[in-house]
Amino acid sequence: MTTMFGITMAESGGEFSPPGPNSFDFGAVPLFTVGEYAVTKPVVQLLLGALVVFVFFYAATRRASMVPGRMQFAGEAAYGMVRNSIARDIIGSHDYRKFVPYLVTLFFFLLVNNAFASIPLIQFPTFSRASMAYALAALSWVVYNAVGIRKHGFVGYLKLQSVPSGVTPLMYPLLVPLEFFSNILVRPVTLALRLFANMFAGHLLLILFSTGGLFLIEYGGIGYIAGPLAWVLAIAISFLELLVQFLQAYVFTLLNAMYISGPLADEH
Amino acid sequence: MDGNLNMIGYGLAAIGPGVGIGLIFAAYISGVARQPEAQGRLQSIAILGFALAEALAIIGIALAFVL
C-alpha cells in the first residue's frame, strides 16, 4: 500500500514534505459504493459512531431495575452528566426536559466520533472532514431556529434575534443587520468551523510530529536525538488530543443548549 | 527554505486568542479559589468564554489555509 504523501525519505525524495490539508484527502477516497453513492471512511465512522452510542444506551436501559447494575450505572452517570450540567443549567429547569434526548445523543455521538482520532486502527477524526461538521451544524441551526419560531412566531423570532433591546432606535440601521448576521448566519458556521478546525489541527499536529520524527531519524546526525524526542512529543500531544476531543464535544453541545435557551428565556 | 507566509500570519493572529483564553481561565481559577462552591456555575461560563475566544483562532486557521 502506497501512501498519498511521502512519509519515508525515499518516497519524498530527500525533502521533508510537511503535512497539509491534502493529508486528509484519503478521507474522500471511496471505500466501496452502494448504488450511486460512494462510501468513504468518515461515512463508515459516522455510522459506526451512531451504532456505538445506540448499543451503549440500549444495553444500559434494557434491564433497568431499582438497584442499577454496572451498565445501568454507567449509562445513568453519562446521561445525568449532560442532563444536569448542560441541559438543566443552561436551558433552565422549566423546559429543559424536551431537549435532553437531543443534547445527550449529540454529545455522545460527537464524543465517539472525536475519539475515533485516537482509537488504534481507526485513527481518523470524522469531523476533520469539514462537510461532516457543516452537516451537524446545519441540524442544530434547524433545531434552534425551529424552537424560536415555535415560541415567538416567525416575525417575532426574527425581531427577538435581530433587534437588540435597550438601544435607541437611532442605532437600529447599524445594529439590526449586524445582529441578524451574527445570530442567524454566522452561528452555524462558527459552530461547524470550531469542531472541524480543532479536529483538523490536532490531527495535523500528530501527523507532523510522527512523520517529522521518522524523517529526522533517517536524516541521521542530530536527528537520532531529535527524532525520538519528536515521537515522545507526539505521545504527549495524543493525550492533549484526548482532552480536546472531550472538550469539543462538550462545547458543541453547550453552545447548542445556549442557542436553544436564547429564545426560550423570558424577557426581563 | 520555502513555506507559506500565511502560517506566520496565523502564528501572529493566534497571540490574541491565546492571551484571551489565558485571561479567561485565570479568572475562572481565582474565582473557584475564592468560592469553591461556585465551581459548577463558573465552569460552563468559563468554557463558553473559552469557546468564543477560541473562535477567533479557528477563523484564523481556516483563513490561513484558504487565502
Side-chain angles (χ1 to χ4, degrees):
Chain A
M1 188 182 147
T2 54
T3 46
M4 290 197 59
F5 57 104
I7 288 180
T8 60
M9 225 171 193
E11 281 176 88
S12 57
E15 281 275 313
F16 178 62
S17 56
N22 57 347
S23 306
F24 292 81
D25 282 352
F26 75 90
V29 177
L31 295 175
F32 55 88
T33 52
V34 179
E36 284 179 33
Y37 300 101
V39 178
T40 61
K41 189 179 176 185
V43 174
V44 175
Q45 286 178 210
L46 275 185
L47 296 174
L48 190 65
L51 193 70
V52 167
V53 175
F54 171 75
V55 167
F56 173 70
F57 281 106
Y58 183 74
T61 53
R62 197 173 39 132
R63 272 195 297 264
S65 58
M66 277 299 284
V67 182
R70 225 176 278 163
M71 271 311 280
Q72 195 191 339
F73 179 74
E76 281 178 359
Y79 175 83
M81 201 265 294
V82 178
R83 174 186 181 269
N84 295 340
S85 81
I86 298 179
R88 197 175 57 192
D89 282 5
I90 302 288
I91 301 179
S93 53
H94 184 55
D95 37 21
Y96 74 99
R97 268 168 212 279
K98 264 186 292 183
F99 304 104
V100 171
Y102 169 63
L103 293 172
V104 170
T105 317
L106 190 64
F107 177 77
F108 287 100
F109 180 65
L110 275 164
L111 190 65
V112 171
N113 272 301
N114 290 350
F116 281 153
S118 299
I119 292 175
L121 301 179
I122 302 179
Q123 283 177 318
F124 185 76
T126 316
F127 293 105
S128 66
R129 296 293 302 174
S131 51
M132 304 279 167
Y134 280 122
L136 204 59
L139 174 70
S140 54
W141 186 78
V142 169
V143 169
Y144 83 77
N145 282 323
V147 167
I149 289 170
R150 240 177 129 177
K151 167 114 181 178
H152 298 277
F154 186 71
V155 179
Y157 174 65
L158 276 187
K159 190 161 171 276
L160 182 82
Q161 288 288 41
S162 47
V163 182
S165 57
V167 178
T168 141
L170 276 176
M171 293 294 282
Y172 281 176
L174 188 67
L175 285 177
V176 168
L178 212 61
E179 286 281 306
F180 177 80
F181 190 69
S182 100
N183 286 344
I184 308 284
L185 299 179
V186 176
R187 267 181 186 182
V189 178
T190 53
L191 203 58
L193 269 184
R194 175 177 301 114
L195 177 64
F196 155 69
N198 268 290
M199 290 300 111
F200 177 85
H203 204 60
L204 204 64
L205 264 182
L206 279 180
I207 300 175
L208 177 68
F209 277 96
S210 346
T211 61
L214 183 63
F215 182 85
L216 282 168
I217 288 175
E218 285 185 314
Y219 189 78
I222 196 167
Y224 286 122
I225 305 162
L229 206 66
W231 280 346
V232 170
L233 266 176
I235 295 170
I237 289 170
S238 305
F239 282 103
L240 179 74
E241 276 310 294
L242 287 177
L243 177 72
V244 171
Q245 287 156 16
F246 176 81
L247 203 65
Q248 285 312 313
Y250 184 78
V251 164
F252 196 97
T253 318
L254 187 80
L255 285 174
N256 257 286
M258 286 281 304
Y259 296 160
I260 290 171
S261 78
L264 286 179
D266 296 319
E267 283 293 312
H268 294 291
Chain B
M1 189 174 170
D2 57 333
N4 200 332
L5 212 59
N6 282 352
M7 291 304 151
I8 296 176
Y10 173 61
L12 292 174
I15 294 172
V19 172
I21 291 167
L23 287 175
I24 289 163
F25 280 107
Y28 168 61
I29 290 166
S30 63
V32 174
R34 280 169 193 227
Q35 208 172 346
E37 60 269 33
Q39 195 201 2
R41 281 191 68 84
L42 291 179
Q43 192 172 8
S44 53
I45 300 171
I47 289 179
L48 184 73
F50 156 75
L52 296 178
E54 193 201 33
L56 298 172
I58 298 305
I59 292 167
I61 201 172
L63 291 181
F65 279 114
V66 168
L67 289 182

